[in-house]
Amino acid sequence: MQKIENDVALNMIANEGISYVIETDSLRYLIGDDEKVSCYKSEDGKLLVTHYENDHVNFITIITLAPTFEIEKLKDWLKSTFDNLSILINVKRVNDDFKKILISSFSDMAKYKSTMVDYAFVSEISTADIPNDIKILDESFRDDFEKSFGEKIENRPSGKLLFDMFVRKKQGYILGAFEGSRLVGYLSFNEISSSVFDVDYIYVLPSERLKGFGGKMAEAYVHFSEEQKHVAYWSNALNNASINTALKVGFELIREVYKFC
């Protein structure tokens, strides 16, 4: 593997398109945050690898640029260069048969942990405009938002913190779903590049589920993104409800990442 400048690696990843937007965003963040990041590319141009260390763990991202590559050669290099590895492999360019070989081979080196999948809206929008019961929230909705979503939800910030971050501090946007005048759901998203928005959280009150609010918010998210000349991205979909909502609206699978640690 040949060590290359971080900015060179960043440009290479960015030029690979929407499938690699998360890697681009992550590497840009690490470089900007003054983390000790190292980047490498294979001699045959089939792989690009990024590395940084935190708490004695070596975090490796392997970005595949071809349908196949020399697995054992890569593994030998990783073993001889780093220890205590946590590995992410973006397999967007890898063919289906090779994926099976890849998982089996890397499972000998580190434990397979999970597969992360991301989606993006890359087709023409099918609906005419944003549904009337979905609105972009401004500061006037702060009390209503905290009242509706003040209860603690596992693995996400409180309603107060989320609203302050995305609306008051303008670090993103929140779409609200309304049943009459009552807020019953939200979809928060932010800008992860100059042309890509990404979903942060989507939530509908348990009593209001299966009424189509999730789909309406997803449609509104696509509309808003297109109005802003952005791609609507839907990263890290962790459950079937989130995945099904994205697929029904027309999002397509564009990123698949294996995690080993």
Side-chain angles (χ1 to χ4, degrees), residues 52 57 59 86 204 223:
Y52 80 98
V57 177
F59 292 91
S86 178
V204 177
H223 274 288

Side-chain angles (χ1 to χ4, degrees), residues 113-244:
K113 188 74 173 178
S114 61
T115 303
M116 296 176 286
V117 291
D118 299 331
Y119 301 82
F121 195 91
V122 293
S123 56
E124 292 294 325
I125 195 164
S126 59
T127 51
D129 48 74
I130 296 176
N132 293 329
D133 48 359
I134 309 297
K135 301 175 183 177
I136 288 282
L137 302 185
D138 57 32
E139 289 201 48
S140 67
F141 291 100
R142 181 175 183 174
D143 291 342
D144 290 339
F145 192 87
E146 291 183 19
K147 180 180 178 181
S148 292
F149 311 114
E151 185 176 335
K152 175 64 177 174
I153 301 173
E154 188 177 2
N155 298 323
R156 71 178 62 195
S158 66
K160 181 181 185 305
L161 179 59
L162 187 67
F163 195 90
D164 283 349
M165 288 170 53
F166 280 73
V167 180
R168 189 174 68 82
K169 295 181 180 179
K170 302 185 186 302
Q171 294 179 10
Y173 303 88
I174 298 178
L175 285 161
F178 290 81
E179 179 82 284
S181 61
R182 186 169 72 104
L183 262 170
V184 297
Y186 67 84
L187 186 154
S188 56
F189 62 99
N190 62 327
E191 188 179 61
I192 60 172
S193 80
S194 60
S195 61
V196 180
F197 287 130
D198 186 22
V199 170
D200 188 53
Y201 295 108
I202 181 170
Y203 180 75
V204 177
L205 293 174
S207 62
E208 304 301 324
R209 291 173 186 171
L210 303 179
K211 295 182 180 180
F213 288 115
K216 288 181 180 180
M217 288 190 291
E219 288 179 1
Y221 169 53
V222 171
H223 274 288
F224 184 85
S225 299
E226 292 200 343
E227 287 174 356
Q228 301 298 315
K229 310 298 183 189
H230 280 49
V231 173
Y233 205 90
W234 195 291
S235 73
N236 202 19
L238 296 176
N239 57 64
N240 288 334
S242 177
I243 292 171
N244 289 337

